[in-house]
Structure formats: C-alpha cells, structure tokens
Amino acid sequence: HGGPNLISFYALPEDGDFSITNIFGDLGDNAIKIFGESSVALNLGDSWVGSLADVSESDGYWLIIGEDGNLEVRGTPTAPVSYTLNEGNNLISYPYLYQQAIGSGLSGTGADGNLYAIYGEGVMAANIDGEWLGALDGFEGGSGYWFVANQGFQFEYNEPTPGAFSKQVQPERPQELTFAQSMNQ
C-alpha cells in the first residue's frame, strides 16, 4: 500500500543477487526509500544511494512507496535463519511463508523471556508475565518486526505448521481512532 510498509523476505533470488536494484527494481520510481535498522537507500530515479546496498534474510525493512503497488521476489526459502539480537530494538525478518501465533513461533527458543515487546506494522504485543498481550497475535510471511530485547540473545523461530494459524479478524476501527501509518513507532 502507498506509504510505509514493514516488510521482510521469506525467499530470495537463487542467483544471490540481493541488491536493492534487483529486489526493488520492478517498483520503479514508486519505490521512494528503504530503511533498515541502521541503514537507508534512497531512489534517485536512475540509481539508488545510501548505506543500504543489499537486503538480508535476517533483516526487516521499511519500504516507502508513493502509491499502491506489487513487489514480487522469486527465489529459494530463507528459513531457517539464526538471529543475534542486541539489547534494545532489533528490526528483523520473519523467514517463513506460513503464519503462526507468537507463542508457537517463539516457545522454547529462548526468545520469550528475553523480549519486552514485538512491534509490527501498526500493531504490537507486550510480554506481560510470560503472556503476549496486544493487537499483534502472530507472525506473517513477508512482514518485518521490531523485537525489543531486555538483553542480547540468539534464537531461531520455530517452524510453522501450514494452516495451523489463522489470523483473527479485527473489528473495523472507528473513524475517531484512525491513524496514519508511520515508520516512527
């Protein structure tokens, strides 16, 4: 959708060309900029400039586009991915096509007790006494997530069971509670 999109990749090209130009080239000038956790790429029309040159299977990204568009990346699955998180905010990927609940994805991985919260695009869940509470109820393929860690640790998501998780339908938001999505959460 037009504006900021919090994305990641569960598949990347087999040829190993993970460059910004290769991955986002089909969006043309509709792709305005891409932010990683500590990097950025800006589309000047005929070239990309900035510190972000390639995407990674372990990172999440804010993709800013001017209007609705489609991004299609073909390749081999990226999962499983090992993550090394630092204390504080970490923008990471979700490396599976299939959705899964937060508890299913993190249970037994060592991540549960090391996280304060997880933020998605316009949603979040807080770890309150070992229970995940909030509007974010699971992980989706193609989405990125901010993991807020209380200390550094390593983990891998549990592999999802296809079809085992279906996202709950959220009621329509009342007009007085609407918001504009921003990468500044």
Side-chain angles (χ1 to χ4, degrees):
H1 57 84
N5 296 270
L6 187 51
I7 66 169
S8 69
F9 301 95
Y10 55 81
L12 286 169
E14 289 182 42
D15 66 5
D17 184 359
F18 303 163
S19 69
I20 296 298
T21 303
N22 185 47
I23 301 296
F24 299 101
D26 288 344
L27 290 173
D29 289 341
N30 193 29
I32 299 167
K33 54 189 147 188
I34 305 158
F35 291 92
E37 183 177 324
S38 60
S39 57
V40 65
L42 176 64
N43 187 354
L44 297 179
D46 58 346
S47 65
W48 287 87
V49 296
S51 58
L52 181 60
D54 299 291
V55 299
S56 164
E57 68 276 353
S58 62
D59 294 334
Y61 302 94
W62 281 106
L63 168 62
I64 315 300
I65 60 174
E67 55 189 48
D68 292 358
N70 290 316
L71 175 63
E72 184 176 310
V73 177
R74 294 179 186 213
T76 56
T78 59
V81 174
S82 293
Y83 298 89
T84 300
L85 274 58
N86 301 306
E87 181 178 352
N89 298 320
N90 299 268
L91 181 53
I92 68 171
S93 67
Y94 176 66
Y96 293 101
L97 168 63
Y98 297 106
Q99 300 175 339
Q100 67 177 320
I102 293 174
S104 298
L106 299 180
S107 178
T109 66
D112 278 349
N114 292 316
L115 294 172
Y116 290 122
I118 302 171
Y119 290 84
E121 185 178 324
V123 293
M124 68 87 64
N127 188 349
I128 309 296
D129 297 326
E131 186 177 355
W132 289 101
L133 303 173
L136 178 65
D137 53 7
F139 303 111
E140 296 182 38
S143 293
Y145 297 93
W146 284 100
F147 276 42
V148 184
N150 56 31
Q151 64 181 351
F153 67 97
Q154 294 182 332
F155 87 104
E156 288 183 16
Y157 288 98
N158 291 320
E159 186 172 353
T161 304
F165 175 69
S166 61
K167 192 169 184 165
Q168 295 178 353
V169 176
Q170 296 289 326
E172 190 169 322
R173 184 176 292 115
Q175 181 64 30
E176 60 272 8
L177 297 177
T178 59
F179 60 89
Q181 178 62 45
S182 166
M183 64 182 194
N184 300 314
Q185 293 194 0

